[in-house]
Amino acid sequence: MTARSILVTGGVRSGKSRHAEQLVAGLDGPEGVVYLAAGDAVGDADWQARLAAHRDRRPVSWRTVEASHRVPEELAALPGPVLVDCLGTWLTAVLDDAGVWDAPEPTIAAALAPRVDALVDALARPRSGPVVVVTNEVGLGVVPAHRSGRIFRDHLGSLNQRVGAVVDQVHLVVAGRVLVL
């Protein structure tokens, strides 16, 4: 992996997590590869099963850090190769933590701004090892019928743009194929 930072984006089940895992496979930092898990599966059996499948295919030498909404702080503190999966679940955790799903748009934006800034700053800083960040590309489909879906789509699109501006490369994964943008 020649790039120091890569954003991997794509649709659901496009192969983006597997591609991200392949990018960092074989890289060794002081603690091997650190998998920074941004999702929270509490109370959701289907999501827990999905996370277990991801965990089962990762090498046993990788260390998993369950970060949820603390991704910027964990990322800033971790040396060596790091894989962050994924910004969509991180954004959901941040929105949940802030309790702003039903708030007016300016309130939502104000609540997200310092967290997004912290994440972008952590990604923009020089690191001792590479970082690969996985996200979802949700703006290519149908306009969500519910406000929460529109909030998520709009803010994830903005977040992806901010992250895309500070990483070395962006990889778009479609049907298991990778296009380097």
Side-chain angles (χ1 to χ4, degrees):
M1 185 173 129
T2 56
R4 300 302 291 169
S5 57
I6 298 173
L7 177 65
V8 178
T9 187
V12 173
R13 300 286 194 201
S14 63
K16 60 190 178 295
S17 290
R18 189 174 304 275
H19 174 64
E21 291 163 2
Q22 290 169 347
L23 288 170
V24 296
L27 298 178
D28 292 319
E31 300 179 32
V33 173
V34 176
Y35 183 94
L36 193 54
D40 186 2
V42 175
D44 186 334
D46 291 336
W47 193 248
Q48 288 172 347
R50 189 174 187 147
L51 293 180
H54 277 241
R55 194 171 26 256
D56 290 347
R57 74 172 182 236
R58 292 194 300 261
V60 294
S61 62
W62 290 14
R63 184 169 67 101
T64 299
V65 175
E66 302 286 343
S68 187
H69 62 281
R70 297 180 331 278
V71 168
E73 295 81 7
E74 295 287 349
L75 184 58
L78 289 168
V82 177
L83 171 57
V84 180
D85 199 353
C86 103
L87 293 185
T89 53
W90 175 76
L91 178 64
T92 300
V94 172
L95 286 162
D96 286 347
D97 191 50
V100 293
W101 286 103
D102 295 321
E105 180 53 39
T107 303
I108 298 169
L112 293 179
R115 302 301 300 149
V116 170
D117 289 346
L119 176 65
V120 171
D121 290 347
L123 287 167
R125 268 189 227 119
R127 302 182 43 78
S128 62
V131 61
V132 175
V133 181
V134 178
T135 192
N136 297 293
E137 197 58 50
V138 297
L140 298 174
V142 176
V143 174
H146 300 282
R147 181 173 189 262
S148 60
R150 292 187 299 273
I151 288 168
F152 177 78
R153 177 207 55 200
D154 292 350
H155 286 282
L156 185 60
S158 297
L159 172 61
N160 289 346
Q161 288 183 51
R162 294 272 316 271
V163 171
V166 298
V167 297
D168 296 328
Q169 292 181 354
V170 176
H171 294 190
L172 175 62
V173 183
V174 178
R177 302 284 185 120
V178 180
L179 177 63
V180 177
L181 304 177

